[in-house]
Amino acid sequence: MRAGVELSNIDFPDDELRSEQEFIDGLYARVDALRGETESSVSDALAQGHTPRQARLERDILVTERSGLLAALNAVEGSLCFGRIDLTSGDSHHIGRIGLRADDTGRTPLLIDWRADVARPFYLATGHTPLGLRRRRHLGTEGRRVTALHDEILDLGDRERTGHEDPTGDAVLLAALNSARTGRMNDIVQTIQAEQDEIIRAPHRGVLVVEGGPGTGKTAVALHRAAYLLYEHRELLAKRAVLIVGPNPAFLGYIGEVLPSLGETGVLLATVGELFPGVRATAADTPAAAAVKGRAAMADVLAAVVRDRQSLPDPVVAVPHEREVLLLDDGLVRVARDRTRALGLPHNAAREVFEGHVLNTLTELYAERVGTDPYDGTMLLDAADLTQIRDELGENPEVWSAVEQLWPRLTPQRLVADFLAAPEGYLGEEDAAAVRRPVTRAWTTADVPLLDEAAELLGEDDRPAEARARRARETRIAYAQGVLDVSYASRTYEFEDKEEDDPEASEVLSAHDVIDAERFAERQQEQDHRSAAERAAADRTWAFGHIIVDEAQELSPMAWRLLMRRSPTRSMTLVGDPAQTAEAAGVGSWADILDPYVQDRWTHTRLGVNYRTPSEIMALAAAVVRAEQPGFAPPASVRSTGVPPWVRATDDLPGAVGKAVAELTPAEGRLAVIAPRGLHRSLAARLDGVTAGAEPDLTRTVVLLDARQAKGLEFDSVLVVEPGHWGTSDLYVALTRATQRLGVLHTGTLPEGLRRAAATP
C-alpha cells in the first residue's frame, strides 16, 4: 500500500499548488483503497476453487474485470491526473488517464477519463471558441507530487488570475517536445492537439487512413485512438481485441508502454512476421525476394501449387485387398478429383469427400471382381454386402496410402517450404531464382503472408483434432468415474458398521447420488483464463474488433490479404506516409491498398504539423526529396532550435564516427547512429556497449540502426553515416529522426539534394 504525499513535508509557494496537492493526495488515497479492495476480491474469487458452473462463470468474469482494473491502476501510477477544466457555470473537473469515482456507488466523479465527452473541451477549447470553459489548467507532476501549474485563460472577461497563467498556452507542449528521449515513446494525452483529437475520436466502423509526414504524431494518434475505442466500445473490443501492427520488433518495444500508461493492457502488438501462430520470422529476404513474395499474384501461384498436389495416377495406383489388386487409373481418379473440387472446399477439408469417392470406386472394382456371375454378369451382392466391402476397404492401410499419394494431407509450412525449394514451373526464371531457398531455412517476414494464404487454401481436416478431443474427454470421464467409485466405496465402508445403530445412516447422500462421471469430468476441466489478446495471438482465424497498422504504406499486397482476413468488418485505422515508402513490395498508394477490399468506402485525413523535427533539420530532409519531386511539401515544423545540421566528408569513417558520437551525444537523452547494415560491425567496434547484428536496445544512450529499423522512432540526436548508400525514401526517414541535432558523415558522393543543401550557406 502506497502512502500519499504528506503536506507538512512540502513547502508550497501559494494556495493554488496546495489546493491541487490536496486533491492529488485524496485521489491517490482512493486509488490505494481501490487497489487493496481489488487485490482482495481477486484473491477471494480465486480461492473459491471448483464451484457450480454459473458461480464459476461469475467468478471468471470478476477475476478478468478486476485484474484489468488492477493492471490499469498500476500502469497509470506515475501521473494519474494531468489537468483541470473550470467551466463558466462554476463547475470544475479534473482530467486523468483513467476515470475514478469517489465511492462504489458510482455517482460522484472524482477524476474524469480523458476519453469522456465531458473532457473533450480540454483539447478543443480556444480563446475564440471556449466551449464553456473559463480556464484550462495543466498540472506538472513528479510521481504523486504536484510540481507546476500552467493556466490558460479562455474567458477573457474573467478577471480572476492565479499567478500561473501561460501567456501563449504552448509551455506544456514545448516542454514535452524538448524533453530528453528515453528510448520509449511517451503518451501525448496531456498535449493532444485539436487535429489529433478529431482523428482519435473518429467513428469506430470503416477504414480511416491517417497520412502525415515525419514527426506529425501519426503513431501517437493511432495508439491514443486504440485507447479511445477501447473506452467507447469496451464490451465489443474487450471480447474481440485490438491488433496493432508495427514495422519491426524494435518499434513495438518503443511504443509498448504507451497503452499501459493509459490504463489499457488488452491489446495485441505484433509485426506481420508474428501473425501466423507457431511461426516467428527470424531470417531476412533480399529486396528482390521480398518483392516477388509480396505480389498479389502469389495467391494464384499458391492455388496452383495446391491443385498440383491433388495428383492423378501415372499410369495407375495399385491397391492390394484380400487376394485382389485393385487398379486406380487416371480416368477413375480424375472423376473423383473433379467431383471433389466442384464443392469448392479447401484442400484438407475436401479430403474426406475425396476419400469417400475413392472408397466407392474401390468398392465397385472389388464387387465386380468377386460378386459378378461369370456367365451372365449379374451382380450377386446386395447393398449390405457392398457396405461390408466398403467398411473392410476402410480398414485397409493400402487404401489410405493411395489416398495420401493422390490427395495428401498438407500443412501450410510444408506446402510453402516445398514451393520455395522448387519454384520453377510457377514463376519466371528470374523470380524463381530470387525466392529459391533450402527447405530447412528459417522463415522471413515475407513468408508469413504466404503461409497464411496457404492455410486458407488448405483449410483444416477437423477429424484428427476431434478424435484427440474425444479421447481426452473419455480419459477425463474414466478418471472421474474412478474418483466417484472410490468415494462410493469409502462411503459404503464407513456406514456399514453404523447401520445397526443408525438405520438412516445409509440414506446420507454421496457424490454418486448427485453427479455422474460425465458432469464431474466437465467441472474439473481446466478453464481458459487467457485474455482476448492472448487467445487471438494463438488463433489464426481470430477476427479482431479493430486493427491499427503503422507504416501501412510498406505492406505488400499479400500482407494486406492476411490483415483483411483478420478484419472481416473492415474496422481499421491505417497510418503512414507514401513519401517514406522504402520496401520493394510496399503498395504506397492508399487507393491501391484499399480498392480491392472496400473500393472507395474509406476516409482519408492528413496531419500537417511536425512536432518532432526542428525546422533547420526539416529543411535539409525536404531538399533531398525535392531533388526527385520538385513539388514536395513537407509538414510544417512548430519549433526551431537554432542549431543547423552539419554534413562532413571523411577519409577515416570509423574514427570520424567515434568523434561525432562524442560531439552529438546529449547530456540526457538518446543518440542514434543510422548507417548501412554492412558498416555496423566496423562502427560497433568504436561504440561502447553497442553490438552489431543484435536487436537494438533503444533505452541505451547510443544505438546503432539502419534506416529501416529507424522507422517510427525518434532520438535527441542522430548521426547519419554514408547517406549515398540509400534510396531517397530511406534517407528521408534517417534524416528526420532527430528532435534536436543532426550530423551527416560520408566518404563518397552525396545524393544530389543533400549536396545542394550542404553547399548552401
Side-chain angles (χ1 to χ4, degrees), residues 223-543:
L223 294 172
H224 288 69
R225 175 163 169 74
Y228 171 76
L229 293 176
L230 284 163
Y231 171 84
E232 192 70 10
H233 307 279
R234 177 73 64 188
E235 184 174 352
L236 170 65
L237 296 184
K239 293 177 181 177
R240 303 310 312 164
V242 172
L243 170 65
I244 297 180
V245 180
N248 54 60
F251 173 85
L252 294 180
Y254 175 66
I255 68 172
E257 296 177 6
V258 173
L259 285 167
S261 76
L262 300 174
E264 299 296 347
T265 57
V267 177
L268 177 62
L269 278 67
T271 66
V272 170
E274 297 168 330
L275 289 178
F276 192 89
V279 168
R280 198 171 190 85
T282 57
D285 273 313
T286 64
V292 173
K293 293 177 181 180
R295 294 174 189 162
M298 288 301 299
D300 294 330
V301 170
L302 290 176
V305 174
V306 172
R307 289 175 67 87
D308 285 348
R309 300 301 293 270
Q310 301 163 359
S311 59
L312 296 173
D314 184 22
V316 297
V317 172
V319 181
H321 185 67
E322 303 292 347
R323 299 180 181 179
E324 303 293 332
V325 177
L326 308 177
L327 301 179
L328 290 171
D329 60 22
D330 179 286
L332 293 172
V333 176
R334 188 182 298 275
V335 171
R337 186 181 71 172
D338 290 348
R339 289 177 178 174
T340 303
R341 285 178 173 176
L343 297 177
L345 297 173
H347 174 87
N348 288 332
R351 175 174 160 130
E352 183 177 5
V353 178
F354 181 75
E355 291 170 359
H357 287 308
V358 169
L359 280 172
N360 290 340
T361 299
L362 291 172
T363 299
E364 292 173 5
L365 290 175
Y366 188 77
E368 289 175 1
R369 295 276 188 90
V370 303
T372 304
D373 190 308
Y375 298 105
D376 59 12
T378 303
M379 176 61 67
L380 302 176
L381 305 176
D382 59 18
D385 295 326
L386 294 177
T387 298
Q388 182 178 347
I389 292 172
R390 193 180 190 278
D391 291 343
E392 291 171 351
L393 283 165
E395 299 294 328
N396 185 347
E398 297 290 346
V399 172
W400 301 112
S401 177
V403 170
E404 183 65 22
Q405 178 181 337
L406 299 170
W407 198 289
R409 186 179 286 112
L410 299 170
T411 66
Q413 291 90 328
R414 174 182 169 188
L415 183 81
V416 174
D418 288 349
F419 159 67
L420 294 176
E424 296 79 6
Y426 299 101
L427 299 174
E429 183 178 344
E430 185 176 343
D431 290 346
V435 303
R436 188 185 302 111
R437 56 167 236 195
V439 172
T440 56
R441 186 181 170 187
W443 299 108
T444 69
T445 296
D447 291 333
V448 168
L450 301 185
L451 291 167
D452 197 72
E453 188 73 29
E456 285 292 303
L457 293 166
L458 296 176
E460 292 286 343
D461 184 348
D462 296 329
R463 290 173 297 166
E466 290 172 353
R468 288 193 298 271
R470 185 168 55 252
R471 289 193 296 270
R473 183 171 181 272
E474 290 170 352
T475 299
R476 289 196 304 272
I477 292 174
Y479 175 79
Q481 185 64 58
V483 172
L484 292 175
D485 289 344
V486 169
S487 171
Y488 180 75
S490 175
R491 170 186 173 277
T492 301
Y493 177 80
E494 178 182 350
F495 288 108
E496 276 180 349
D497 295 335
K498 295 182 179 180
E499 287 185 353
E500 293 182 4
D501 299 329
D502 184 4
E504 296 183 359
S506 61
E507 301 301 320
V508 177
L509 292 177
S510 72
H512 250 291
D513 300 311
V514 297
I515 192 170
D516 59 21
E518 185 172 345
R519 291 176 60 199
F520 187 51
E522 182 181 320
R523 286 192 180 183
Q524 304 307 308
Q525 187 173 357
E526 183 178 353
Q527 299 298 306
D528 187 351
H529 292 296
R530 293 177 300 170
S531 68
E534 290 169 332
R535 296 196 303 274
D539 184 355
R540 191 195 69 82
T541 63
W542 190 274

Side-chain angles (χ1 to χ4, degrees), residues 96-118:
R97 284 172 166 76
I98 61 173
L100 286 174
R101 299 283 177 176
D103 51 44
D104 292 333
T105 64
R107 288 192 293 268
T108 306
L110 187 63
L111 184 66
I112 302 297
D113 193 300
W114 68 275
R115 297 163 288 190
D117 286 341
V118 71

Side-chain angles (χ1 to χ4, degrees), residues 60-82:
D60 291 344
I61 292 173
L62 183 147
V63 169
T64 300
E65 290 179 347
R66 293 290 183 172
S67 297
L69 174 60
L70 192 59
L73 291 174
N74 291 334
V76 300
E77 168 68 25
S79 52
L80 182 59
C81 176
F82 56 80

Side-chain angles (χ1 to χ4, degrees), residues 513-665:
D513 300 311
V514 297
I515 192 170
D516 59 21
E518 185 172 345
R519 291 176 60 199
F520 187 51
E522 182 181 320
R523 286 192 180 183
Q524 304 307 308
Q525 187 173 357
E526 183 178 353
Q527 299 298 306
D528 187 351
H529 292 296
R530 293 177 300 170
S531 68
E534 290 169 332
R535 296 196 303 274
D539 184 355
R540 191 195 69 82
T541 63
W542 190 274
F544 288 92
H546 195 79
I547 295 179
I548 293 175
V549 185
D550 206 304
E551 302 294 347
Q553 76 282 348
E554 301 288 7
L555 270 59
S556 71
M558 288 301 294
W560 283 112
R561 287 176 66 88
L562 178 155
L563 288 178
M564 291 299 175
R565 291 189 192 103
R566 306 295 195 275
S567 180
T569 61
R570 304 293 188 259
S571 179
M572 309 179 83
T573 302
L574 314 181
V575 298
D577 180 13
Q580 297 183 63
T581 305
E583 296 290 344
V587 177
S589 163
W590 302 122
D592 288 346
I593 291 171
L594 294 171
D595 283 355
Y597 304 101
V598 296
Q599 289 77 50
D600 60 351
R601 299 188 302 276
W602 50 280
T603 304
H604 178 273
T605 187
R606 183 173 180 83
L607 294 168
V609 179
N610 186 338
Y611 298 99
R612 175 205 303 144
T613 317
S615 57
E616 297 88 349
I617 296 176
M618 201 63 215
L620 180 69
V624 171
V625 181
R626 286 200 187 102
E628 290 187 0
Q629 305 173 35
F632 173 72
S637 298
V638 298
R639 63 195 178 95
S640 168
T641 61
V643 181
W646 51 257
V647 180
R648 299 172 186 165
T650 180
D651 294 328
D652 175 17
L653 191 62
V657 167
K659 293 178 181 178
V661 166
E663 174 186 343
L664 291 171
T665 299

Side-chain angles (χ1 to χ4, degrees), residues 23-70:
F23 172 80
I24 294 296
D25 287 345
L27 187 65
Y28 277 108
R30 172 60 179 154
V31 168
D32 290 338
L34 189 58
R35 182 185 286 111
E37 295 167 8
T38 303
E39 290 173 342
S40 297
S41 63
V42 170
S43 298
D44 292 345
L46 291 176
Q48 290 179 18
H50 299 297
T51 60
R53 174 180 292 183
Q54 183 60 35
R56 187 169 68 244
L57 178 61
E58 294 173 358
R59 181 202 70 182
D60 291 344
I61 292 173
L62 183 147
V63 169
T64 300
E65 290 179 347
R66 293 290 183 172
S67 297
L69 174 60
L70 192 59

